[in-house]
Amino acid sequence: MQKRDYYEILGLRKDASEQEIKSAYRKLAIQHHPDKNAGDKEAEEKFKEGAEAYSVLSNPDQRARYDRFGHAGVSSSAGGFQGFDPDIFSDFSDILGDFFGFGDIIGGSRRQSKQPRRGADLRYDLEIGFTEAVAGVKTKIKIPRQETCTSCQGTGADPKEGLSTCTACQGQGSVRYQQGFFTIRRTCSTCQGTGQLIRKACPQCRGQGQVRKEKVLEIKIPAGVDQGSRLRIMGEGEAGPKGGPSGDLYVVLSVEEHPFFQRQDNNIYCEIPISFSQAALGGETTVPTLEKPQKIKIPAGTQSDTVFRLKGRGIVSLNGYGKGDQLVRVKVATPKKLTKEQKELFKQLAAISGDAEESSSLFEKVKEILT
Ligand SMILES: [Zn+2]
Ligand SMILES: [Zn+2]
């Protein structure tokens, strides 16, 4: 029988990329897979043909030889394709994934059935104070979680009665059977791939292998964390089934607001009032910082909403390098109540600086616009 062109089999052009070859083959393999076409000889032939074409075209050396010499370049005498190369199945499982349980095909490199599964990750929401976020804190948290049963080590079997070897798979954890033209290995359904059967359930966990416990953990929250920061604590999630590795614990932080400071990234912001005379004449005032209070100079003629920057008075960066600043916005406070003497002095001040005239002419202007 005349052999068909490999590119033609997969419906590809000669310059197809590796990815195109893969996806063309995947499509074809799924379409003609023996699982879906039981007893269909033609589908089986197409499936075989596709596998052969793929095995050559997916290998750059073989592909080059095939491109130059055609089928002769990759025939068995030239050290090329020969019947079913079992190595192809490791590729198979990559391409088809768990679509048809291909991960378990004999000759494939993956044999996951006996590997215990990993436990689930957990999330814990924790609220901390503003200053704790700034300085870091050690705290204890209680997490309810599944832990491996210590009585049976997660097997679920009574420790005295123990386990017996699975009779369905002879302890292999998987069974082989013939399907179409090749042998498939599937996870044993009797023992779920463990290779062992429980004679009597562990009384501690009722055969579950796990018990629910409340674990108290001490965690260290680093300085500089912020709202929404996530800490990953490896291996503190739920225990894996059948003694498998534990998942991770994620602590998600929310940070309380501070009555005086606001935070943006690593900078902190605050507002302080200064008096009229401080603003006009200049002077000094004391500002609270995250550490001790600090004096700042107010230059003469400072306007309300002027921002002063205190370098390095912000929050330490979470990665340990550098620190933010503190930004201080001054608000010129207008006195609400004046003594008789103060009132007199303000009047004098107003008279000298011509405030009264200035504002009356402004008032006239506004009237003009409005009428
Ligand atoms: Zn147990
Ligand atoms: Zn079994």
Side-chain angles (χ1 to χ4, degrees):
M1 191 178 85
Q2 183 69 37
K3 261 177 144 3
R4 278 174 78 204
D5 177 68
Y6 288 150
Y7 291 99
E8 191 190 309
I9 290 167
L10 296 177
L12 292 167
R13 293 195 331 209
K14 294 264 184 217
D15 60 355
S17 69
E18 247 173 76
Q19 198 49 50
E20 284 169 332
I21 294 171
K22 242 184 192 179
S23 64
Y25 172 56
R26 187 176 194 277
K27 235 198 253 160
L28 186 138
I30 290 169
Q31 193 189 340
H32 299 296
H33 190 271
D35 265 5
K36 276 172 79 177
N37 303 280
D40 183 343
K41 274 277 160 213
E42 201 188 320
E44 191 179 312
E45 274 315 310
K46 286 218 163 110
F47 188 76
K48 268 183 174 174
E49 204 181 40
E52 182 181 326
Y54 175 71
S55 84
V56 170
L57 297 185
S58 63
N59 177 326
D61 278 351
Q62 299 251 350
R63 186 180 177 184
R65 270 214 296 269
Y66 178 73
D67 287 345
R68 285 187 69 188
F69 308 111
H71 289 295
V74 291
S75 71
S76 52
S77 58
F81 193 84
Q82 189 166 29
F84 257 100
D85 175 359
D87 284 345
I88 196 174
F89 293 126
S90 54
D91 270 345
F92 244 36
S93 56
D94 287 346
I95 289 174
L96 297 175
D98 289 330
F99 227 82
F100 296 104
F102 263 107
D104 290 317
I105 286 178
I106 289 175
S109 51
R110 281 198 268 170
R111 294 260 301 270
Q112 300 150 318
S113 52
K114 273 203 164 180
Q115 231 122 77
R117 275 191 298 130
R118 184 176 171 275
D121 291 337
L122 287 178
R123 172 189 169 133
Y124 187 95
D125 292 299
L126 178 66
E127 183 169 282
I128 57 170
F130 186 89
T131 44
E132 289 175 326
V134 169
V137 66
K138 263 190 193 161
T139 186
K140 280 183 181 156
I141 57 173
K142 257 193 212 166
I143 338 155
R145 67 179 184 191
Q146 293 291 120
E147 290 192 6
T148 299
C149 173
T150 47
S151 173
C152 63
Q153 315 298 337
T155 59
D158 188 316
K160 279 179 230 125
E161 302 286 325
L163 295 156
S164 63
T165 304
C166 175
T167 46
C169 63
Q170 276 81 44
Q172 292 295 300
S174 55
V175 284
R176 335 162 145 219
Y177 61 95
Q178 197 73 26
Q179 173 142 60
F181 57 95
F182 58 85
T183 314
I184 287 181
R185 191 197 290 268
R186 284 270 164 89
T187 301
C188 172
S189 57
T190 309
C191 62
Q192 311 297 332
T194 60
Q196 289 173 316
L197 289 177
I198 294 169
R199 275 211 190 95
K200 193 180 157 200
C202 164
Q204 207 68 38
C205 61
R206 287 195 225 94
Q208 295 301 301
Q210 293 189 330
V211 282
R212 193 131 191 103
K213 274 195 184 156
E214 201 159 71
K215 167 90 176 182
V216 179
L217 267 184
E218 193 178 66
I219 56 167
K220 194 173 164 275
I221 295 165
V225 291
D226 201 351
Q227 181 70 26
S229 291
R230 224 167 60 142
L231 304 177
R232 180 184 183 199
I233 304 168
M234 299 258 284
E236 294 292 356
E238 307 231 76
K242 313 267 180 219
S246 293
D248 298 332
L249 170 69
Y250 289 91
V251 178
V252 181
L253 298 173
S254 63
V255 180
E256 279 171 18
E257 281 186 15
H258 193 276
F260 182 68
F261 296 122
Q262 275 103 51
R263 172 176 183 174
Q264 198 176 357
D265 301 323
N266 291 328
N267 291 336
I268 64 164
Y269 295 80
C270 68
E271 242 177 50
I272 56 156
I274 56 170
S275 71
F276 249 171
S277 42
Q278 274 177 313
L281 303 171
E284 234 179 28
T285 190
T286 306
V287 182
T289 74
L290 292 172
E291 286 147 35
K292 54 181 191 291
Q294 196 181 327
K295 286 204 166 107
I296 59 166
K297 266 212 176 79
I298 309 286
T302 294
Q303 302 293 308
S304 202
D305 285 328
T306 302
V307 175
F308 296 94
R309 183 181 286 263
L310 304 179
K311 268 234 157 282
R313 291 287 173 205
I315 292 162
V316 61
S317 172
L318 200 52
N319 62 25
Y321 298 104
K323 242 179 155 186
D325 302 330
Q326 179 171 347
L327 293 123
V328 182
R329 182 185 295 271
V330 297
K331 287 282 183 190
V332 177
T334 309
K336 282 185 179 144
K337 259 192 180 166
L338 295 173
T339 63
K340 219 178 160 195
E341 198 188 354
Q342 285 171 323
K343 224 181 226 173
E344 208 40 57
L345 288 169
F346 268 113
K347 273 184 185 164
Q348 281 181 33
L349 183 64
I352 298 164
S353 53
D355 272 2
E357 288 153 45
E358 228 173 73
S359 57
S360 74
S361 66
L362 193 69
F363 180 70
E364 287 303 317
K365 251 187 208 158
V366 173
K367 236 168 81 180
E368 256 172 52
I369 294 166
L370 290 175
T371 51

